[in-house]
Amino acid sequence: MATVLIVDDSRLARDMVSSVVTSLHPDWTVLVASSGADALAMVEGRTPHAAILDYNMPGMDGLELAGHLRERFPALPMGFLTANVQDSLKKKAEALGCGFIPKPITTDKIRAFLAGAGL
């Protein structure tokens, strides 16, 4: 049974991604956080198997969160769920070993990310 971390400051986005993951894998654990700080607290003592992160969040953005997660979980598959796919962001994300899940959110995109993560 896998654990997927979903972090987005948009309640709608969190609910949509969580719903898709749960519909695809009802037996998985889905951790949902609205900020980077909440996400880091949520994974204390847990090991997620994949993380889906928003890039644009107040406070700690997705890149900063990805850096913290990478330090704690070196092999964690991470994907940025964002409409912001500028070259500078792509380079920074790739340096952290993160992929992209382009918005809008669809079941096929989430399924493909999870499959690519080996889940």
Side-chain angles (χ1 to χ4, degrees), residues 47-66:
T47 303
H49 297 91
I52 298 173
L53 314 173
D54 184 22
Y55 168 66
N56 290 312
M57 294 186 292
M60 183 185 311
D61 70 21
L63 279 174
E64 186 178 352
L65 174 58

